[in-house]
Amino acid sequence: MLSVLEQLIERVEHHLAVIYQDVELITTYPELCKQLLETMRIDNSDLLVEPKRHHNNWDQQDVMLITYGDSIEKSGEKPLHSLHDFLTKYCGDAINSVHLLPFFPYSSDDGFSVIDYSSVNEALGDWDDIRAITTDYRVMSDVVINHCSSRSAWFENFIKGEGPGSDFFYTASLKDDLSKVVRPRTSDLLRLTETPHGEKQVWCTFSHDQVDFDFRNPAVLDTFVSIMRQYLDTGIRIFRLDAVAFLWKKIGTSCINLEQTHEVVRLLRTLIEHAVSDAVIITETNIPNRQNLTYFGNANEAHGIYNFSLPPLLVNTLVTGSCKHLKSWLGSMPPSQNGTFFFNFIASHDGIGLRPAEGLLQDHELTALVNTMQNFGGRISWRTSEDGKQKAYEINIALYDALQGTVKGTDKWGLDRFICAHSIMFGLEGIPGIYIHSLLGTGNDYEKVKNTSHNRSINRHKWDYTKLQEQLALPFSQHSKVHARMIKLLNIRKEQPAFHPSATQFTLQLGEQIFGFWRQSMDRRQSIFCIFNITDEPQSIRLSDMNLIGTDTWFDLISGHTMCLEDLEYRLAPYQSMWISNIGS
């Protein structure tokens, strides 16, 4: 019988054989495997941790706050210190995980054009500040794996033609057939760069300041394994592989979701799990739903995938007053296997991506959604489609403003509609991620857009901590009301076994105006019927439509009311949410 180390070596060599099947290497798979195991420091059988297969290292208490390191600032204090203080004082036990968006030195894209992966941006703090947060919270770090800054030392060495990184970057030719390449941007794909070896056309999926790596070079892979090992050493346990779908390039193909890309994710999972058994990989793949699901593999690839179709479908539901498409999508989604989970979110540092809604919403419905968001102050980011036309790629808007009204215009139900959206997300199968500006009810930041000329800045406000504390101390301020209601929902959620990320879920058929689904705990003791009026008019629901077991006592966990099964129907106020459970909180 093979030892744990021997089995690991066999697996890693298989991963490498798939990744480099079309690449002529100057080393052998055993030699490269040995190097990777040494880099991750798992080359000694005495240090190996055998990961459990199909094991959930998460439960219903897992909730993640998504934030930049400087989303909260205080004069004279390091932003990471201010953020840590905010988490302690204003999140309490309601949130146990934090996604710290890129906290490294960078040159553009608010951190996603990384200059140095091994350093903390001095404007934010240092590694001690990161370690302090990892002591109290489970921290997710970005691994910006597809590209880095054109101002990085690696790319400067590429330009000089010598030194570390000089062979890290993917180049092509203007004569290559690039017609099938899928792009999320409208800028030119190739960047002309002068080097001692002549002019080079450097591949830039996103911008000319974000130069793409060439993973055909094993040194690039080994470098990122080293980076992830460093992050593990600082206490980081969750890795968000940013834009990973574009990682492997092959001329004549779409250069997205290629077989080698999936195998790189599998390899990274194998390595980090053997180093730290509860380490987790989440893939960030803003692509159509079916393609996104493939990153689960056979429960051997990403532990978690972003549920990118949820934001556009949920916003569309609440502004149209029809849950038809949301219900259809949810009913068609496969349950996650044990050992995997959906990462649910409805707002982020970017915007509401529209590619994941392709095939789920029709073109005229997408156009109506875009127009409604523009009426609420949103901006639109565009991409060039396969046929050369400009298509809306992303809606840039603060979620609080996105839900201030319906297709009919703004109304008085904005706060209730906003809370309804989160009540839905908090109840769904998976782990919820809450953007800090949703937790605080922050609106569109037009001034920042004006200053940066970037659409995404509209939802990247920086709070002065003193002013924020003043707002949260006012009982009737917009920010105080949002924060209080969100924290209340999260505190209820974390006590419910039926809200375990992998607990059973079924979509209910309650018409187009009432959205609902049923969750059941893994031990089958608790059932929760999640019911939502997604319209601006009162709606009635028959309890008999949900088949509540008459021998149980049922409670609405949100209102605290006991349900009377003898009542023929219940009347729901506009955007009212109910979590009806057979076990009281």
Side-chain angles (χ1 to χ4, degrees):
M1 184 176 179
L2 296 177
S3 68
V4 174
L5 181 58
E6 289 170 330
Q7 292 179 58
L8 173 60
I9 290 172
E10 190 174 85
R11 288 180 63 192
V12 171
E13 289 184 5
H14 171 74
H15 292 314
L16 295 173
V18 175
I19 294 168
Y20 295 110
Q21 58 186 289
D22 298 325
V23 179
E24 187 174 336
L25 299 177
I26 61 173
T27 185
T28 65
Y29 296 144
E31 290 171 341
L32 182 52
C33 172
K34 182 175 183 293
Q35 176 61 48
L36 294 176
L37 297 186
E38 289 177 355
T39 300
M40 187 54 80
R41 299 205 304 277
I42 50 176
D43 54 324
N44 186 328
S45 58
D46 295 334
L47 300 177
L48 270 185
V49 179
E50 176 65 17
K52 295 179 181 178
R53 301 300 169 200
H54 301 285
H55 179 72
N56 298 320
N57 291 311
W58 44 81
D59 61 24
Q60 63 274 13
Q61 297 193 46
D62 284 292
V63 177
M64 186 174 292
L65 185 75
I66 305 166
T67 180
Y68 280 103
D70 58 356
S71 291
I72 296 174
E73 298 179 313
K74 185 177 181 180
S75 179
E77 187 172 80
K78 292 185 290 187
L80 285 172
H81 183 84
S82 302
L83 176 64
H84 196 177
D85 187 75
F86 168 80
L87 290 166
T88 302
K89 292 180 179 176
Y90 294 99
C91 296
D93 296 331
I95 288 170
N96 69 351
S97 304
V98 183
H99 174 198
L100 279 177
L101 288 155
F103 48 81
F104 322 103
Y106 70 96
S107 56
S108 64
D109 199 16
D110 278 1
F112 286 91
S113 186
V114 180
I115 292 176
D116 180 5
Y117 290 81
S118 63
S119 301
V120 176
N121 185 346
E122 292 182 356
L124 300 177
D126 54 32
W127 280 114
D128 286 341
D129 296 305
I130 300 293
R131 290 187 186 94
I133 297 176
T134 64
T135 299
D136 296 332
Y137 297 89
R138 193 166 166 82
V139 171
M140 177 160 80
S141 170
D142 283 276
V143 179
V144 185
I145 197 167
N146 178 71
H147 53 263
C148 71
S149 169
S150 64
R151 289 173 50 194
S152 67
W154 291 334
F155 195 67
E156 288 177 356
N157 286 342
F158 172 84
I159 294 173
K160 291 188 295 184
E162 60 182 16
S166 61
D167 55 355
F168 275 19
F169 300 96
Y170 196 94
T171 61
S173 167
L174 294 175
K175 296 179 182 179
D176 289 331
D177 179 8
L178 306 178
S179 60
K180 295 181 181 178
V181 175
V182 172
R183 297 286 313 289
R185 299 289 186 272
T186 57
S187 58
D188 290 338
L189 174 62
L190 301 180
R191 161 190 164 144
L192 179 64
T193 304
E194 295 283 350
T195 77
H197 307 295
E199 292 183 344
K200 300 291 183 180
Q201 295 287 347
V202 179
W203 196 284
C204 299
T205 298
F206 291 90
S207 79
H208 283 192
D209 186 45
Q210 294 166 298
V211 285
D212 283 32
F213 292 111
D214 186 354
F215 271 83
R216 294 175 303 178
N217 179 357
V220 176
L221 175 62
D222 186 54
T223 296
F224 273 94
V225 171
S226 175
I227 289 166
M228 295 174 78
R229 179 69 254 187
Q230 179 189 357
Y231 296 174
L232 287 170
D233 291 341
T234 61
I236 290 164
R237 289 295 176 264
I238 308 174
F239 300 97
R240 176 185 184 268
L241 301 186
D242 176 68
V244 69
F246 302 95
L247 180 143
W248 197 271
K249 286 84 174 169
K250 186 174 182 180
I251 303 301
T253 73
S254 64
C255 297
I256 187 171
N257 305 322
L258 298 187
E259 177 187 11
Q260 291 89 341
T261 293
H262 286 279
E263 201 65 36
V264 168
V265 178
R266 294 186 189 112
L267 170 62
L268 294 176
R269 173 170 176 162
T270 296
L271 292 173
I272 69 161
E273 279 188 334
H274 279 83
V276 178
S277 61
D278 63 346
V280 169
I281 283 176
I282 299 181
T283 49
E284 188 269 336
T285 48
N286 192 354
I287 51 180
N289 190 53
R290 288 192 177 184
Q291 297 175 29
N292 191 33
L293 289 169
T294 64
Y295 282 85
F296 275 143
N298 185 24
N300 63 346
E301 201 163 326
H303 297 87
I305 64 171
Y306 272 71
N307 224 342
F308 272 108
S309 295
L310 180 60
L313 289 179
L314 185 48
V315 171
N316 183 73
T317 292
L318 291 166
V319 300
T320 63
S322 170
C323 65
K324 177 176 64 174
H325 296 302
L326 180 63
K327 183 170 58 177
S328 176
W329 165 75
L330 191 65
S332 69
M333 288 288 282
S336 61
Q337 298 184 51
N338 281 329
T340 66
F341 62 89
F342 292 107
F343 185 68
N344 297 322
F345 73 107
I346 47 178
S348 74
H349 61 289
D350 289 338
I352 302 170
L354 296 180
R355 285 212 73 207
E358 292 175 7
L360 301 174
L361 296 177
Q362 297 181 24
D363 286 347
H364 73 274
E365 292 170 318
L366 286 169
T367 298
L369 177 60
V370 165
N371 291 340
T372 301
M373 294 300 100
Q374 286 179 310
N375 290 338
F376 296 159
R379 305 290 195 268
I380 307 300
S381 295
W382 301 87
R383 71 179 181 91
T384 303
S385 64
E386 291 80 356
D387 57 6
K389 296 180 180 178
Q390 297 291 292
K391 294 190 70 172
Y393 171 74
E394 181 180 83
I395 300 169
N396 304 113
I397 191 170
L399 187 64
Y400 191 87
D401 284 334
L403 296 175
Q404 66 183 273
T406 68
V407 292
K408 297 177 288 188
T410 58
D411 58 27
K412 63 180 180 179
W413 300 109
L415 175 59
D416 294 310
R417 190 180 292 110
F418 181 80
I419 296 299
C420 179
H422 287 87
S423 301
I424 291 172
M425 181 181 73
F426 294 163
L428 287 172
E429 174 189 357
I431 294 175
I434 312 162
Y435 189 38
I436 190 168
H437 294 304
S438 293
L439 182 67
L440 299 173
T442 311
N444 292 334
D445 191 334
Y446 300 112
E447 189 64 27
K448 191 168 186 183
V449 173
K450 181 180 177 181
N451 291 337
T452 65
S453 299
H454 294 304
N455 288 344
R456 285 180 168 177
S457 296
I458 199 169
N459 197 22
R460 297 179 178 180
H461 181 71
K462 292 185 180 182
W463 272 102
D464 176 271
Y465 194 16
T466 301
K467 292 181 179 178
L468 175 60
Q469 289 176 305
E470 291 172 354
Q471 286 295 314
L472 294 178
L474 296 172
F476 300 109
S477 76
Q478 167 184 311
H479 310 292
S480 174
K481 287 188 289 187
V482 168
H483 176 263
R485 291 180 69 173
M486 296 275 271
I487 293 295
K488 176 189 174 183
L489 285 173
L490 290 174
N491 281 327
I492 294 171
R493 180 192 186 278
K494 72 176 188 176
E495 300 298 329
Q496 315 310 319
F499 284 153
H500 186 286
S502 300
T504 299
Q505 176 174 288
F506 284 109
T507 307
L508 303 176
Q509 302 300 322
L510 304 171
E512 287 192 25
Q513 283 70 52
I514 296 178
F515 178 61
F517 51 88
W518 172 69
R519 303 294 309 278
Q520 184 184 57
S521 60
M522 300 176 82
D523 62 7
R524 300 188 178 183
R525 291 185 62 241
Q526 185 185 34
S527 287
I528 300 179
F529 290 85
C530 302
I531 309 298
F532 312 93
N533 178 359
I534 48 86
T535 76
D536 56 4
E537 299 287 342
Q539 301 291 333
S540 295
I541 183 171
R542 293 179 178 274
L543 297 183
S544 59
D545 292 341
M546 295 183 289
N547 296 318
L548 302 183
I549 300 173
T551 55
D552 287 348
T553 301
W554 295 88
F555 310 86
D556 175 16
L557 298 171
I558 296 176
S559 68
H561 295 157
T562 301
M563 309 297 293
C564 179
L565 299 188
E566 295 179 359
D567 291 343
L568 292 179
E569 61 182 28
Y570 267 79
R571 195 162 176 82
L572 280 71
Y575 305 106
Q576 182 179 348
S577 303
M578 301 178 77
W579 292 343
I580 304 172
S581 171
N582 62 336
I583 298 176
S585 60

